[in-house]
Amino acid sequence: MGKAMRWSCLPWFVVVTACGAAAKTESNAEVGVGGDSAGTSAPSAAGAGAGATSGGGASVGAAGSEVTGGSGGGAGARLGGDGGGSSGHGPPLPGCTQAPVDAAPSAAWVNATGNLANMASACGTLGKVAAKPCSDTVIAAVVEQGIWSSSDRGRTWNALGTGAGSVQMKNHAFSLFFDPDHPEVIWETGLHDGSGAYTSRDGGLTFVRLGTMTESQLIGVDFQDPARKTLVVGSHGQHQAVYLSTNAGLTWTNIGLNLPAETSNSESPVVIDAKTYVIGVCNSSEQGCGFYRTTDSGATWAKTSELEASHFGAPLHASDGTIYWPIQLDRGFGKSTDQGETWTNVAAPGMIVGITPIELPDASIVVVGPDHLLRSADHGGSFTPIGEPLPYSLSINQSGSVTYSAMTKTFYLSHWECSTSVAPNAIMSAGYDYTK
């Protein structure tokens, strides 16, 4: 992705075209895009952008001054990797005006589930947490209950999406993240009931459903473009279903139809630039697996690896451009340093492939291991256990998440269950100072 870990999401419509050509989709959302030049203010839900309507429905207006882009794009998983906060006396983090706390909290894992514990839910319960950049805020997604926010290390959580006209999300979140350059923009993709993609441009006060797609697993965004016009969506459990928007989500085209017919589930895209994308395809039976790459916006795809991209875990697109992609079962991850053209299989024994790796502000990589968090300072060449033993055991394909608030020097770890209520220990936190 370039200089920062990023991900993204947005809308669409349905009109089948000729055989071999991609099917188009029309947005049921109105998305306002700001001015032609990049600015520094975050988009607003009531933004002054000249929103174009396609298909009717909810509206999302971007502020007149567009979001400032990063120097890369992709479906990486830097959830809070650039985080900041409101207290402390050390130097500010890059991109943040506040300084982080002086000292990390205790390395012992403590319960950060707060009032989410035992909340009525459904299978999937609580699977994702994300730390807001340059803030002490953390958000979490609860099946049937939407998105929640905490600014006191998980002691209390407050419901988001309470603004007038906000969509109420019930899905099992597969991804939940902030725009790293404009943290007031939040994206969520999810599966099953209420599946699809959602966004908020006002810090979570209001959420809008982006299009009519279902079972949206992951969305990649071109962060080289300040207007965030190029978006790519992968679909959970579906073959040849990869959707592209080149107009910030107003309309969509199924470029997945141009993947070979034998390819498996096309779920997690990485956006390199406006025309170059990488997709990992695989399923639980490990058939039709591999990495595919396009340099012409999905008109053609070339297979670049036979590695079996995990359909549980999402890729990390690191700040130096390296892609780290979890591989099926206990086989570490696929690593590419040339934008997905070639791959190597890097060992990470016991890595929980269903939990996406993250990058810390010093560019080190952290994965969830069998009994500890594991950190690599040499681009995945070796991993060292850090912190205290994990607060619970996770299966090799366990879905959940890990995020790091650099401002509060705190890791948050989540896991989900197939239950009717949120587990009492669904979110745990532990202090860690990455500078030491």
Side-chain angles (χ1 to χ4, degrees):
M1 116 168 28
K3 296 296 180 186
M5 241 81 320
R6 331 214 194 248
W7 316 21
S8 203
C9 349
L10 279 100
W12 40 325
F13 110 83
V14 156
V15 174
V16 178
T17 63
C19 178
K24 286 190 176 180
T25 347
E26 182 177 43
S27 171
N28 70 342
E30 176 180 303
V31 180
V33 178
D36 292 333
S37 60
T40 56
S41 57
S44 166
T53 303
S54 178
S59 65
V60 180
S65 54
E66 290 183 349
V67 294
T68 301
S71 55
R78 188 181 208 164
L79 303 181
D82 290 323
S86 58
S87 62
H89 306 288
L93 293 160
C96 303
T97 57
Q98 301 90 356
V101 295
D102 284 335
S106 169
W109 290 95
V110 298
N111 199 324
T113 315
N115 53 299
L116 300 180
N118 303 311
M119 181 177 287
S121 187
C123 187
T125 54
L126 191 157
K128 299 296 172 185
V129 289
K132 184 177 181 180
C134 300
S135 172
D136 56 5
T137 296
V138 180
I139 58 175
V142 181
V143 178
E144 298 289 343
Q145 302 288 350
I147 311 300
W148 296 72
S149 172
S150 176
S151 296
D152 60 5
R153 300 179 186 270
R155 286 187 288 273
T156 57
W157 294 82
N158 299 302
L160 298 182
T162 58
S166 181
V167 172
Q168 299 304 304
M169 288 113 69
K170 296 184 177 182
N171 62 30
H172 178 177
F174 189 89
S175 67
L176 178 67
F177 53 93
F178 296 89
D179 184 320
D181 296 311
H182 291 279
E184 294 309 303
V185 178
I186 303 170
W187 287 292
E188 192 256 22
T189 58
L191 315 177
H192 313 317
D193 185 19
S195 64
Y198 299 83
T199 191
S200 172
R201 295 176 181 264
D202 55 11
L205 180 63
T206 55
F207 281 88
V208 172
R209 183 170 180 180
L210 303 171
T212 58
M213 68 273 219
T214 60
E215 304 302 323
S216 298
Q217 180 148 315
L218 194 63
I219 298 184
V221 59
D222 178 14
F223 278 95
Q224 295 190 39
D225 175 17
R228 314 302 202 235
K229 290 181 179 179
T230 299
L231 308 159
V232 181
V233 177
S235 302
H236 179 76
Q238 301 177 48
H239 300 188
Q240 295 180 297
V242 183
Y243 295 90
L244 167 68
S245 175
T246 58
N247 55 12
L250 294 177
T251 57
W252 294 82
T253 301
N254 184 4
I255 58 175
L257 294 177
N258 298 322
L259 283 164
E262 69 272 13
T263 55
S264 187
N265 300 351
S266 45
E267 299 169 330
S268 298
V270 167
V271 175
I272 306 297
D273 57 40
K275 294 185 181 235
T276 307
Y277 329 130
V278 178
I279 188 84
V281 299
C282 210
N283 60 27
S284 57
S285 63
E286 302 177 37
Q287 297 177 348
C289 297
F291 291 110
Y292 287 80
R293 186 175 187 267
T294 180
T295 58
D296 55 13
S297 302
T300 61
W301 296 85
K303 191 171 189 177
T304 59
S305 175
E306 298 283 347
L307 288 173
E308 295 135 345
S310 171
H311 69 290
F312 291 101
L316 165 68
H317 198 178
S319 56
D320 65 356
T322 302
I323 303 172
Y324 300 90
W325 210 304
I327 301 300
Q328 295 279 60
L329 304 178
D330 188 10
R331 284 172 277 180
F333 48 79
K335 175 183 174 182
S336 176
T337 58
D338 54 10
Q339 301 182 337
E341 290 190 62
T342 61
W343 297 84
T344 56
N345 193 176
V346 177
M351 182 180 79
I352 309 302
V353 299
I355 299 182
T356 303
I358 62 171
E359 183 180 38
L360 299 185
D362 64 352
S364 61
I365 305 301
V366 172
V367 302
V368 178
D371 50 24
H372 280 79
L373 296 179
L374 306 175
R375 181 182 181 187
S376 175
D378 56 4
H379 310 287
S382 60
F383 284 87
T384 302
I386 59 173
E388 298 293 319
L390 296 182
Y392 32 63
S393 298
L394 298 169
S395 67
I396 200 69
N397 288 324
Q398 177 75 42
S399 291
S401 64
V402 63
T403 189
Y404 183 72
S405 170
M407 190 57 74
T408 64
K409 298 179 181 175
T410 303
F411 278 112
Y412 292 85
L413 178 70
S414 73
H415 77 290
W416 65 269
E417 299 177 351
C418 196
S419 177
T420 58
S421 62
V422 174
N425 61 350
I427 305 172
M428 303 291 288
S429 69
Y432 180 74
D433 190 342
Y434 72 92
T435 65
K436 295 181 178 179

